[in-house]
Amino acid sequence: MIILITGASHTGKTLLAQRLLEKYKYPYLSIDHIKMGLIRSGNTSLTPEDDDALTGYLWPIVREIIKTAIENKQNLMVEGCYVPFDWRKDFDERYLSSIRFICLAMTDRYIWEHFDDVKPQGSVIENRLDDSDCKPDIIKKDNRRVISGFEQAGERVTLIDNDYADTLNRLVDTF
């Protein structure tokens, strides 16, 4: 099985992947690690700030990793924000039946009421070297974009609206 975890910035994608790894022993692949490997090695002129271009650049690589894992009957979690809204079009049913999709996003209300808790969560699993763009208005805008884009594509979005820990715990327990 493939567990594809995406969502807005600071929603706990990596934390969820880590918790699923601990419980189910599925390895996970961070799309951010692929991104930084390609950037640091000089294999792309893109920078970490080129989000839209990075999705188009990284997704074909990630897509083929997912297909290879399915063909080899391997369990794998793939997590990161570089998943296009229309990702399903790249897989036929023999692949889709092996993919569990999870998208995390926070409501405006949650961000407003819990922003002081949201920002520190950005470094719970990975150490963010520069988190200066983590501001309430930017986080709200990103979450709205993710919610709108994935819902318009027919995807279910797990909304973090009240109890963050409870939301993640429910996701971990659903497998």
Side-chain angles (χ1 to χ4, degrees):
M1 176 190 305
I2 304 299
I3 303 172
L4 181 58
I5 303 169
T6 193
S9 179
H10 290 78
T11 55
K13 299 177 293 294
T14 307
L15 177 60
L16 176 59
Q18 182 67 35
R19 289 203 180 151
L20 289 167
L21 167 109
E22 291 166 2
K23 183 167 184 175
Y24 299 104
K25 310 301 185 228
Y26 285 18
Y28 74 86
L29 174 68
S30 168
I31 302 172
D32 278 342
H33 290 175
I34 296 171
K35 169 189 78 176
M36 292 311 298
L38 291 164
I39 290 170
R40 288 179 172 177
S41 67
N43 283 298
T44 181
S45 61
L46 296 171
T47 71
E49 288 77 37
D50 297 324
D51 280 341
D52 291 338
L54 280 164
T55 298
Y57 182 71
L58 294 168
W59 179 246
I61 298 165
V62 171
R63 175 191 69 216
E64 297 308 314
I65 291 170
I66 290 170
K67 287 180 181 179
T68 301
I70 292 170
E71 291 162 358
N72 289 317
K73 297 179 177 29
Q74 295 170 305
N75 296 321
L76 179 66
M77 287 181 287
V78 177
E79 67 85 15
C81 62
Y82 303 105
V83 176
F85 300 133
D86 62 350
W87 68 273
R88 286 185 188 268
K89 73 172 177 43
D90 293 326
F91 300 96
D92 62 33
E93 185 50 42
R94 70 184 159 141
Y95 294 109
L96 287 172
S97 64
S98 296
I99 301 172
R100 170 84 192 273
F101 177 77
I102 300 171
C103 179
L104 298 174
M106 296 177 280
T107 63
D108 280 359
R109 183 180 68 80
Y110 183 85
I111 296 165
W112 178 257
E113 292 176 3
H114 299 278
F115 184 74
D116 290 340
D117 301 321
V118 169
K119 187 166 182 165
Q121 291 288 43
S123 293
V124 166
I125 301 295
E126 296 178 336
N127 186 27
R128 291 178 187 253
L129 298 178
D130 179 12
D131 206 17
S132 59
D133 63 341
C134 184
K135 296 180 173 65
D137 290 343
I138 293 171
I139 296 295
K140 285 179 187 178
K141 182 178 177 183
D142 185 41
N143 277 268
R144 286 184 208 128
R145 179 189 63 80
V146 166
I147 293 166
S148 175
F150 280 111
E151 285 184 345
Q152 285 179 15
E155 299 293 346
R156 181 178 173 269
V157 176
T158 299
L159 291 176
I160 300 163
D161 186 45
N162 189 15
D163 188 326
Y164 177 82
D166 183 57
T167 301
L168 258 55
N169 289 337
R170 279 187 287 115
L171 287 169
V172 169
D173 292 338
T174 61
F175 289 93

